[in-house]
Amino acid sequence: MSHPYTFDPLPQPAVAPGEFFFAAVGLDHGHIFGMTDGLIGAGATVKWVFDENPDRVASFMQRYPTARAASSEQEVLDDPEVRLVATAAVASERAPIGLRAIEAGKDAFVDKAPLTTFAQLEAVREATARTGRKYAVYYGERVHSEAAILAGQLIERGAIGTVLQVVCFGPHRIGGGRPDWFYDPEQYGGILCDIGSHNFEQMLFYTGATDGRVSTSTVANYAHSDTPGLQDFGDAHVVLDNGTTGYVRVDWFTPDGLGVFGDGRTLLLGTDGYIELRKYIDVATDNGGGQVILVNQEGQYRFDANGMTGFPYFGQLIRDCIDRTETSMTQAHALKAAELSLQAQGEALVLAP
């Protein structure tokens, strides 16, 4: 069925080659590649890479030939050309790295979960308020998903009226070869803090809320007794400050028969319709991921979002760093999502298997 909607033009590079340099410090999570790809796609140049593991550094440099191996984090921080420091270190180390970048006069771009304790949250809030520097967060399940971006544009155009509820499902596959920190809640922050942070951000974004409270949350280790620190299930219900609600369920139970790491879906209920996002796979079809299904008063529509939106967040972030604006994501929004994830994690009822 044809649709009546027009969408935003594809983003163009935000800067010319060599105009904006950034560095990668801490390569523990593979999200560093998505973060780097996004920035490079928007025109930035990666100048330095630093990690304690030389194999990871070599792999990064092979993929990004402009990157040079730094002898230390301090060498990166001492380079006045570096405007932004990106990190996907162990989750508990992301805030310390980001704060050191801020104190060195640079902006920080950290993987989710952006922090793992309330003390880190307060330290980041204090540092960003005092310095005016940015602590940007890679909430990739929205800012690096064309389906999620297209849904935002549909909501802006009134396709489903006022959003009333956001329901997110974030199943993942554990796989093999995970590092030790993956099983230590002190280091990964717990399942709602870690995976769930994506989803609390989406609740705030799609509803337009600026605050909220966690009404209930649970975590469990149902089926991985050999790794007791792992939480393989978590869920939470959130009441937001504008009267809307959100629900998230995250888990490590993706079966081997699925062709991707997880069947991540988001449901957006509005007063005049609903949207379903099938971000990574449309099960038992050849459609692939990036599917957006819209049902409203006018009809039923399916969009293949691949190639429709690009990823405007990265160019906006680059311009924000240069122009000292907040077009990509406000600091308050990024940290409120993190705060909700900490609250959900800290207040969670631990379920017995």
Side-chain angles (χ1 to χ4, degrees):
M1 183 176 180
S2 61
H3 64 82
Y5 302 102
T6 57
F7 298 105
D8 296 349
L10 290 172
Q12 301 299 309
V15 287
E19 186 179 346
F20 186 91
F21 290 100
F22 73 99
V25 175
L27 313 179
D28 295 88
H29 199 293
H31 282 164
I32 193 65
F33 298 113
M35 298 163 73
T36 302
D37 288 343
L39 289 168
I40 290 174
T45 303
V46 58
K47 182 175 182 181
W48 293 105
V49 57
F50 176 73
D51 189 274
E52 298 288 354
N53 185 320
D55 292 337
R56 288 201 291 248
V57 170
S59 176
F60 188 92
M61 293 172 64
Q62 184 175 16
R63 183 163 172 167
Y64 307 108
T66 63
R68 290 185 280 166
S71 60
S72 66
E73 179 186 307
Q74 194 60 47
E75 184 174 11
V76 172
L77 299 181
D78 288 342
D79 185 346
E81 279 196 329
V82 172
R83 306 285 294 267
L84 180 71
V85 174
T87 182
V90 173
S92 58
E93 295 302 315
R94 291 168 191 166
I97 292 170
L99 288 168
R100 290 194 292 270
I102 287 172
E103 297 302 339
K106 306 181 187 306
D107 294 307
F109 182 32
V110 305
D111 188 17
K112 68 81 222 165
L115 36 82
T116 56
T117 69
F118 283 103
Q120 289 181 347
L121 174 64
E122 292 310 309
V124 169
R125 281 186 167 145
E126 188 280 329
T128 52
R130 171 170 48 82
T131 65
R133 291 290 157 186
K134 299 185 182 301
Y135 192 86
V137 182
Y138 180 63
Y139 291 115
E141 289 188 14
R142 186 178 65 80
V143 304
H144 220 166
S145 163
E146 287 188 289
I149 296 164
L150 191 73
Q153 293 185 23
L154 284 167
I155 290 168
E156 285 179 357
R157 286 150 179 76
I160 61 171
T162 301
V163 176
L164 303 175
Q165 186 185 50
V166 177
V167 175
C168 301
F169 299 100
H172 285 60
R173 177 183 289 124
I174 292 180
R178 293 279 183 174
D180 290 345
W181 67 267
F182 175 80
Y183 301 101
D184 180 1
E186 293 296 316
Q187 292 184 281
Y188 75 86
I191 192 169
L192 290 171
C193 178
D194 179 21
I195 306 176
S197 60
H198 282 296
N199 307 110
F200 295 110
E201 191 278 331
Q202 288 175 84
M203 294 175 196
L204 292 170
F205 176 78
Y206 288 124
T207 64
T210 59
D211 202 352
R213 59 180 177 84
V214 177
S215 59
T216 62
S217 57
T218 65
V219 297
N221 182 335
Y222 281 127
H224 297 84
S225 58
D226 55 327
T227 52
L230 176 70
Q231 294 168 353
D232 57 23
F233 176 90
D235 75 349
H237 182 258
V238 179
V239 178
L240 297 158
D241 63 349
N242 58 1
T244 62
T245 65
Y247 174 79
V248 55
R249 190 209 76 210
V250 287
D251 66 77
W252 289 101
F253 287 111
T254 293
D256 290 342
L258 192 73
V260 296
F261 75 94
D263 186 6
R265 299 197 191 191
T266 302
L267 296 166
L268 309 171
L269 175 65
T271 53
D272 296 315
Y274 63 89
I275 293 171
E276 179 184 350
L277 310 182
R278 301 178 183 178
K279 293 183 182 178
Y280 308 115
I281 191 170
D282 193 6
V283 174
T285 76
D286 296 325
N287 294 330
Q291 303 299 305
V292 178
I293 298 166
L294 165 66
V295 181
N296 62 13
Q297 311 292 9
E298 284 72 48
Q300 308 166 46
Y301 311 94
R302 176 187 286 267
F303 304 87
D304 184 336
N306 293 292
M308 288 187 66
T309 70
F311 306 108
Y313 171 84
F314 298 95
Q316 292 166 351
L317 175 59
I318 291 168
R319 291 311 318 178
D320 285 344
C321 293
I322 295 172
D323 303 330
R324 310 319 298 170
T325 49
E326 281 195 320
T327 62
S328 57
M329 183 184 297
T330 68
Q331 190 66 78
H333 176 95
L335 295 181
K336 181 56 67 173
E339 181 181 350
L340 286 173
S341 70
L342 289 175
Q343 289 176 352
Q345 188 69 51
E347 298 171 6
L349 175 65
V350 180
L351 304 175

